[in-house]
Each structure stands twice: as structure tokens, then as C-alpha cells.
Amino acid sequence: MAQDATQALRVFKGSNGKEIKAALIDKDDTNATLLLENKRRAIVPLTNLSAEDQQYIKEWSKEKALFLQKCLGLSVRQLLELRGYESFPMTLQGNSIIVTSKLNNKDAKFIVDTGAGTSLLHTKTAEKCDLVVGPMTEIVSGVAGDVPAGWVDVPTLSLGESLFKNRKILATDMDKDKPDGAKSNDTAGLFGADLLAQLDTVISYKENRIFFRPDKSDRTQVEGDAAKSADLGVEGEVKNKDETLNFRIFKTRDGKSFRANIISKTPTVLTVKLNDGKTQQVPVANLSDEDQKYADTWTEAGDIFLRYCGALTIEELLNLRKYNAFLYERRGNHIFVDGTLNDAAVTWMIDTGANTSLLDLKQANKSGCEVGPMEHLVYGIGGSAPAGETVMKKITLGKVQLTNRRTLATDMSARSGRDLDYVGLFGADFMRELDAVITYSEKKIFLYQR
């Protein structure tokens, strides 16, 4: 590792009051190794430093320091793809996330919906994809009511290299009781939290991309040892408990895939390290268009990240980028975060499938939001429901604060027959505004307020 890779000058103060400008470059339980301005090293007992400096050293890590020095320019996409995620562009219809998949080997567009506890098919799409909908003896519920549904045997559902096999998914008429302007049109259904959780999904609004772990699906196209790497890293350390994250998935023009890291490159040839530790030369022209672009933009920063920062969690990487992190609660497949509304403590359901945030009528009144006449309509599964306009004077989640946001309120508790224990839906409008990142593996939501 380059000697200056972790250097950040700081004024350290000794317990005797004497000050010295130096960079922290290493530590152990009792000593700190400092690089002085004259480039000499000094090993200083922690007890000889001020309490503030001791706390700084306790929280300092070589990996984080190196990341800040050398890798901060890497995008979230680069960081995740370097760790073995496969990414897809998110097409936004309104605020809804649309991803294109293969349903029974036919193209199908799904709404990515964290608020949907289970995935759901549109009956019209099921029929177009030669799938048989069973008896409509089940019930699915939405913000506007209940609708009948039937089970469908789905042989295959795939997104890139992620593949689900022989799944039973409920299907319903997603356009029931909706006017023409609110119908699903070419939407195949909802890609719900059951599948999102299995794939350790990451959603990044700032980059308009969604990331999946194909090796977590029912059968990955990257077979055998590629999913169970024993790589120990350049310096012999185990970089991540799940080592397959440390290798990128490359695709070739003839449809094959392999996991590897670039070691060096020329304009025409890559030298890569495979996940079994072997090195191999790969002609750039043999790679997919996407991987040729990746090879072209491969940088030393990405290489340093893989070599030395692979143990950093997604949370640590985003915290270094000044995101605010929130641990969410999983109830079934739904995700909830705590915050305040008009200074009253509340819980929100995180719902990427909701174009705009929505309050429950009773909870809105309880939290001091005055709701106007119920002369508007909100649409969802089951058709439409009356809603009134209201203003949320202040919303907080941790350090993030939004003020004077106008939204609608509807009686979300009517269909359940009991009062909700959450205030409403924290929807895609706020997600986009706050550059939200949602991670399923770490059960965190990250927000960034400009």
C-alpha cells in the first residue's frame, strides 16, 4: 500500500499540553503510529495523548482513511458492482420504479414495490405469458380495498442473471375499478419485498439504478465455484465474510459469465484475477458492451478499493459520504422507520410503489395535520378511495428534516377494521428528493439532504 494513502494531517495534543502535527497511519491497543511532517515515524503510547485524540484513534480505521483518500470519487454503482452486484437502470414512470424482466421467457415490466409484502402479477399479463391463473379464491389488499386473486405457477422469472424457478405468485386484476388514466397499461405486476429481500437488493435513487445479488437467486448462471470463492485478498486478509462480493460478474459475447477482478489492462487486453486465485488474459473485444465500458473506465481507485477496502460495509461506505443511516424494522416483508410528524413520534412504512407519500386519515388528525374536504381520489389495488389534502408542517427522520410538504390523507385503516400503528406511506416522492438508498442485506435506509 502506498505510504501516503491514509495520510490526513491532524494536530495531536499530548497529555502534557504539547502539540504536534502528524498523520495517523497505524494503531494497536496501546500505541499509535504517527507520520510526522518531516516524514519520520513516531510510536506514541495512547496514554500520552489527550482524551479527544484517544477517541479519534479508537474510531479511526486504515480502511476508512484509505477510502477517503483514494476512493471517494467512486460512485455507489461502481462500489456495488465491484462487490459482485449486478445493476440495472431504473425507469421511472411518475415516481414508480420500473424494471424489465423475463416472465416465462417473455418480456415483462414490473413495478419495484417495497410496500408490497409479496410479489403480484396482473391477470392480463399472466395470460399473455401463457400462464394459467387458478381459482380466484384468495384476497389481496391495497390502499383502496380488497380484490380477489388466484395462484399462478411461474416456471421462470429472471432479471439479468438473477433467476427464480417454479414460483407460485398471486395474480389479480390490477386495473379493477380504475379509470383509464390510472390503469396499469403495460405493467406486468409488482416485484415485491419477498423477491427483493432474497436478492439482497440495493436501490439508489440518485443514480437511478437497482442492484441485485444473482448468486442469491434460485439458480445463478454463474455456476459452481464462482459462488463460493475462497479468495483471501492481496495481503492475505479475508476481505468479507461473503467473499463472492469481492469479484465482479463479467459477461462475454457468447453468453458466458465469470467472476474476476482486473489487475491491469492495455487498450485491447485485460489481465484478470479469477475467484480461484488464477490469473488470465481476456481480450476486451470478447466482452459484452457493458463490460467493455467498465474495462475502459477501470481505475486505480477501484483497484485500491477491492484490495484494501473490501471489508467496509455498505453502511460504512455511505456514512463516509455523509448519508444519514436508519435501521428499519421488518414486519413480515414490510419495512418501517421511526421519525416524527409535527413533533409527534410516528412510524412510517417505506413504500417505493407509492408515487407520492400518503397519510392515514386518523393518524393525520392525531399528529396535528388538518385534512381538507375528501374530494380527491387515491388509486391502488382495489380501485380508488376518497382523500383530502393536508400539509405536513414538519417531518424528521434523524437529522433529516422536511417542512411544509403537501400530501393527501385517506382512511387506510378502514379495510383492516383497526387503527394503524404507523402514520402512512413514506413514498417515492420523498425518496427521490433525499437521494435515498435502501439496502436489504443490512436492513438500512440512507437519506442525504442537500
Side-chain angles (χ1 to χ4, degrees):
M1 187 187 302
Q3 184 177 343
D4 66 349
T6 60
Q7 290 177 21
L9 288 175
R10 168 188 173 88
V11 176
F12 289 87
K13 182 179 290 187
S15 54
N16 60 2
K18 184 178 180 181
E19 294 183 349
I20 183 173
K21 184 178 284 190
L24 177 62
I25 58 174
D26 209 348
K27 68 176 182 178
D28 58 28
D29 291 339
T30 58
N31 299 301
T33 301
L34 304 180
L35 186 66
L36 308 179
E37 286 187 288
N38 62 9
K39 302 305 179 183
R40 292 185 179 180
R41 296 187 178 208
I43 298 177
V44 181
L46 297 179
T47 53
N48 288 1
L49 296 171
S50 68
E52 183 181 349
D53 287 333
Q54 290 185 45
Q55 184 64 29
Y56 168 78
I57 292 168
K58 180 180 178 181
E59 296 174 355
W60 178 89
S61 80
K62 186 177 293 187
E63 292 83 3
K64 290 181 182 179
L66 181 62
F67 179 85
L68 288 170
Q69 288 285 322
K70 294 292 186 179
C71 307
L72 197 57
L74 295 173
S75 65
V76 172
R77 176 184 179 181
Q78 288 171 310
L79 293 172
L80 291 175
E81 288 184 349
L82 284 167
R83 299 181 67 171
Y85 280 83
E86 184 178 18
S87 77
F88 302 87
M90 298 187 326
T91 301
L92 294 177
Q93 291 184 3
N95 284 320
S96 296
I97 302 170
I98 306 295
V99 292
T100 300
S101 67
K102 291 282 187 181
L103 178 63
N104 203 22
N105 295 318
K106 295 188 178 181
D107 289 341
K109 295 180 180 178
F110 281 82
I111 296 174
V112 175
D113 191 352
T114 60
T118 58
S119 298
L120 190 66
L121 296 179
H122 193 342
T123 48
K124 293 179 181 178
T125 300
E127 293 165 2
K128 289 179 182 177
C129 294
D130 303 322
L131 300 173
V132 178
V133 181
M136 305 294 278
T137 54
E138 306 293 330
I139 296 293
V140 294
S141 301
V143 69
D146 300 332
V147 287
W151 289 104
V152 177
D153 290 319
V154 178
T156 60
L157 172 61
S158 62
L159 292 92
E161 295 206 18
S162 297
L163 176 65
F164 299 97
K165 296 184 67 178
N166 301 320
R167 290 294 178 111
K168 284 186 175 294
I169 301 178
L170 281 172
T172 190
D173 181 1
M174 294 176 62
D175 289 336
K176 185 178 183 298
D177 298 332
K178 291 182 181 179
D180 289 341
K183 289 186 177 180
S184 302
N185 297 322
D186 61 347
T187 301
L190 305 179
F191 198 82
D194 52 341
L195 303 183
L196 295 173
Q198 181 176 337
L199 294 178
D200 282 353
T201 302
V202 177
I203 299 169
S204 174
Y205 276 88
K206 183 176 182 179
E207 295 185 289
N208 279 341
R209 294 194 83 82
I210 188 166
F211 305 83
F212 299 128
R213 284 278 306 277
D215 54 302
K216 295 286 188 178
S217 66
D218 293 344
R219 179 185 62 79
T220 175
Q221 295 176 23
V222 183
E223 298 287 358
D225 292 338
K228 42 188 177 181
S229 164
D231 176 65
L232 295 179
V234 173
E235 295 184 335
E237 82 281 17
V238 176
K239 295 187 291 184
N240 194 294
K241 291 180 181 179
D242 191 353
E243 283 89 2
T244 192
L245 284 174
N246 296 322
F247 293 87
R248 176 185 168 86
I249 301 169
F250 286 88
K251 301 174 187 176
T252 60
R253 290 198 173 278
D254 58 3
K256 296 180 180 179
S257 301
F258 61 94
R259 287 183 181 269
N261 292 327
I262 300 175
I263 298 174
S264 62
K265 68 176 183 179
T266 69
T268 58
V269 176
L270 299 182
T271 300
V272 301
K273 177 185 177 183
L274 302 175
N275 61 335
D276 61 4
K278 297 178 181 178
T279 59
Q280 180 175 314
Q281 290 192 322
V282 180
V284 174
N286 289 357
L287 297 174
S288 67
D289 290 343
E290 184 77 11
D291 285 326
Q292 287 189 36
K293 291 178 183 177
Y294 170 79
D296 184 56
T297 58
W298 177 84
T299 63
E300 179 189 8
D303 186 52
I304 289 174
F305 174 78
L306 281 171
R307 289 172 181 265
Y308 306 110
C309 305
L312 294 176
T313 64
I314 295 173
E315 178 180 5
E316 288 172 322
L317 293 171
L318 291 176
N319 283 345
L320 290 169
R321 292 170 174 271
K322 309 302 182 184
Y323 273 80
N324 293 273
F326 307 90
L327 180 67
Y328 61 69
E329 178 188 359
R330 284 278 296 275
R331 301 181 192 171
N333 282 324
H334 297 298
I335 58 180
F336 297 85
V337 293
D338 293 329
T340 69
L341 174 58
N342 297 341
D343 295 322
V346 298
T347 300
W348 294 89
M349 179 192 286
I350 302 298
D351 190 355
T352 60
N355 263 322
T356 58
S357 298
L358 185 68
L359 293 181
D360 173 61
L361 184 60
K362 292 180 182 178
Q363 294 287 345
N365 290 324
K366 188 177 178 180
S367 301
C369 293
E370 185 176 339
V371 181
M374 304 295 281
E375 57 190 16
H376 300 273
L377 291 174
V378 292
Y379 297 97
I381 298 296
S384 61
E389 193 172 89
T390 187
V391 174
M392 298 177 285
K393 293 181 180 178
K394 186 170 75 170
I395 304 164
T396 64
L397 281 84
K399 297 179 181 178
V400 172
Q401 180 174 302
L402 303 174
T403 57
N404 297 318
R405 294 304 195 273
R406 193 174 298 275
T407 193
L408 293 175
T410 189
D411 190 357
M412 296 173 62
S413 59
R415 61 177 174 77
S416 65
R418 58 182 176 81
D419 290 348
L420 299 183
D421 58 357
Y422 59 95
V423 72
L425 307 179
F426 196 86
D429 52 344
F430 291 161
M431 300 288 188
R432 292 183 70 181
E433 179 180 349
L434 295 170
D435 289 345
V437 176
I438 302 171
T439 67
Y440 275 84
S441 62
E442 296 179 15
K443 296 182 180 178
K444 293 284 179 70
I445 177 171
F446 303 87
L447 303 176
Y448 184 86
Q449 192 159 30
R450 298 180 187 85

